[in-house]
């Protein structure tokens, strides 16, 4: 069965600046290269879900500018339904400026632009699309009020909700109460729970604290260590990451989320297999430069898993 995934999220044009390392305060440094690419956590996750086998739709907003048309084209090329991607006349399309170090690590500065102009009216207009989905996915690069309403609509319709709490911030209880799966990384888990995730005990404690906030299922992504999960029925485990040489980690987490939503069953019965698939997709993504350009296809992930 093909999963139907609707993503509410951000659309950004990424400007990638390749540098050897981060400059020190007051230091001037020459960059090694500059590149523009499609990005935004929402866009990345939607493209990943679509390329990896899901029937995918997007709810978002772009500016009336070249960047907006560029992002619309990226989604369309990836076979993502853009019926509910609207155009803001007074806000420019979102942008992200990525400082990419030689190590593959990155630092990102975001101008939200039209992403922050998504309103509850936009959510109501897309209500039928939300209700028809198997999964609704969102992040924190769009207004919380809109995300909260979208999740309320989804839960009333029996749609499984996935929250990627990034960029990290406190989440309102009204939103968390309607989250079936939350998927933070270690930093985001610490901000949400106050628990520093460093080992098996702390990752379990952080996940339990998130469940105490009303979230049913938890996945904490651990970078090169893999991903830890704790389900509503208290099944837990760690799925190791694949060892690769990272070139650019920009879309690693987004590729993981998109891949996961493309394979996960709404009852979470195959959560370990879905995480393994998502880990492999993420491992392929970090070996290429850019966000959207690095996201692999279903065939590429399957070929690696079947080796």
């Amino acid at each position: 069965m093909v999963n139907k995934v609707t993503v509410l999220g951000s659309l950004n044009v990424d400007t990638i600046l390749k540098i050897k390392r981060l400059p020190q305060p007051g230091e001037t440094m020459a960059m090694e290269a500059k590149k523009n690419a499609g990005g935004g956590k929402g866009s990345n996750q939607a493209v990943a879900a679509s390329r990896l086998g899901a029937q995918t739709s997007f709810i978002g907003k772009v500016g009336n500018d070249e960047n907006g048309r560029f992002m619309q084209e990226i989604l369309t090329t990836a076979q993502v339904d853009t019926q509910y991607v609207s155009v803001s006349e007074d806000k420019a399309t979102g942008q992200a400026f990525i400082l990419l170090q030689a190590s593959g690590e990155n630092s990102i500065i975001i101008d939200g632009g039209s992403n922050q102009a998504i309103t509850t009216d936009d959510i109501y207009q897309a209500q039928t699309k939300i209700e028809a989905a198997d999964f609704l996915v969102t992040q924190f690069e769009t207004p919380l009020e809109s995300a909260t309403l979208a999740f309320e609509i989804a839960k009333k319709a029996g749609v499984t909700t996935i929250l990627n709490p990034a960029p990290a911030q406190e989440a309102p209880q009204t939103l968390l109460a309607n989250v079936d799966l939350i998927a933070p990384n270690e930093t985001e888990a610490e901000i949400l729970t106050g628990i520093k995730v460093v080992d098996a005990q702390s990752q379990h404690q952080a996940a339990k604290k998130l469940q105490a906030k009303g979230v049913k299922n938890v996945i904490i992504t651990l970078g090169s260590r893999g991903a830890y999960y704790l389900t509503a029925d208290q099944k837990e485990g760690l799925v190791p990451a694949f060892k690769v040489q990272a070139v650019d980690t920009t879309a690693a987490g987004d590729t993981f989320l998109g891949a996961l939503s493309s394979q996960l069953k709404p009852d979470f019965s195959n959560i370990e297999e879905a995480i393994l698939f998502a880990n492999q997709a993420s491992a392929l993504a970090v070996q290429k430069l850019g966000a959207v350009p690095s996201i692999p296809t279903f065939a590429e992930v399957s070929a690696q898993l079947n080796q």
Side-chain angles (χ1 to χ4, degrees):
M1 188 183 94
V2 175
N3 281 356
K4 288 184 287 185
V5 177
T6 294
V7 178
L8 163 62
S10 55
L11 294 155
N12 292 330
V13 173
D14 292 347
T15 299
I16 305 162
L17 309 178
K18 289 191 73 175
I19 55 178
K20 287 184 178 179
R21 55 171 175 78
L22 291 178
Q24 298 297 316
E27 180 183 10
T28 300
M29 177 186 291
M31 72 178 76
E32 296 177 347
K34 176 184 175 184
K35 181 179 179 180
N36 290 328
K41 297 192 73 63
S43 172
N44 297 342
Q45 291 170 14
V47 170
S50 182
R51 285 185 187 166
L52 293 163
Q55 181 182 326
T56 310
S57 303
F58 200 88
I59 304 169
K61 198 175 288 268
V62 293
N64 187 9
D65 50 34
E66 278 303 312
N67 281 347
R69 289 181 279 278
F70 176 62
M71 291 308 303
Q72 289 262 31
E73 184 180 342
I74 282 173
L75 292 179
T76 302
T77 300
Q79 299 183 309
V80 176
D81 182 345
T82 61
Q83 180 181 359
Y84 295 104
V85 176
S86 57
V87 177
S88 171
E89 295 300 335
D90 58 353
K91 294 278 190 182
T93 301
Q95 295 188 73
F97 301 89
I98 300 168
L99 299 176
L100 175 62
Q101 301 175 66
S103 65
E105 292 297 313
N106 61 66
S107 302
I108 305 175
I109 303 165
I110 294 175
D111 173 18
S114 56
N115 295 313
Q116 293 304 312
I118 297 173
T119 66
T120 53
D121 285 344
D122 294 313
I123 303 304
Y124 281 122
Q125 286 178 15
Q127 182 166 350
T128 54
K129 184 65 70 174
I130 293 170
E131 292 171 338
D134 297 311
F135 293 91
L136 175 65
V137 181
T138 199
Q139 328 76 33
F140 284 157
E141 288 186 342
T142 56
L144 282 174
E145 183 182 19
S146 300
T148 300
L149 174 61
F151 272 36
E152 286 175 2
I153 291 170
K155 287 316 300 169
K156 286 178 182 175
V159 177
T160 302
T161 56
I162 300 177
L163 174 63
N164 175 215
Q169 61 175 286
E170 281 292 340
Q173 191 58 43
T174 49
L175 175 61
L176 292 178
N178 288 312
V179 174
D180 289 309
L181 170 64
I182 194 167
N185 62 23
E186 302 116 307
T187 302
E188 293 148 5
E190 182 179 356
I191 288 172
L192 289 168
T193 66
I195 298 170
K196 190 172 182 64
V197 178
V198 293
D199 55 21
Q201 182 180 9
S202 56
Q203 65 200 21
H204 176 82
Q205 289 173 337
K208 290 293 289 182
K209 193 162 185 178
L210 287 167
Q211 287 186 333
K213 291 175 179 281
V215 177
K216 299 173 184 66
N217 302 274
V218 180
I219 294 175
I220 301 175
T221 56
L222 305 167
S224 61
R225 289 194 289 136
Y228 165 82
Y229 67 89
L230 178 66
T231 65
D233 58 5
Q234 303 308 299
K235 179 183 177 184
E236 68 179 326
L238 175 68
V239 183
F242 293 88
K243 304 300 181 187
V244 297
Q245 183 64 48
V247 172
D248 180 6
T249 61
T250 303
D254 297 332
T255 299
F256 178 93
L257 257 291
L260 184 82
S261 66
S262 76
Q263 302 300 311
L264 188 63
K265 293 180 180 178
D267 64 358
F268 294 87
S269 60
N270 70 330
I271 189 167
E272 195 157 324
E273 293 83 358
I275 291 174
L276 181 70
F277 183 91
N279 280 351
Q280 182 64 80
S282 184
L284 288 171
V286 302
Q287 295 179 72
K288 293 182 180 179
L289 187 65
V292 166
S294 73
I295 298 169
T297 63
F298 181 85
E300 289 170 332
V301 175
S302 297
Q304 287 295 314
L305 288 173
N306 292 330
Q307 280 185 353

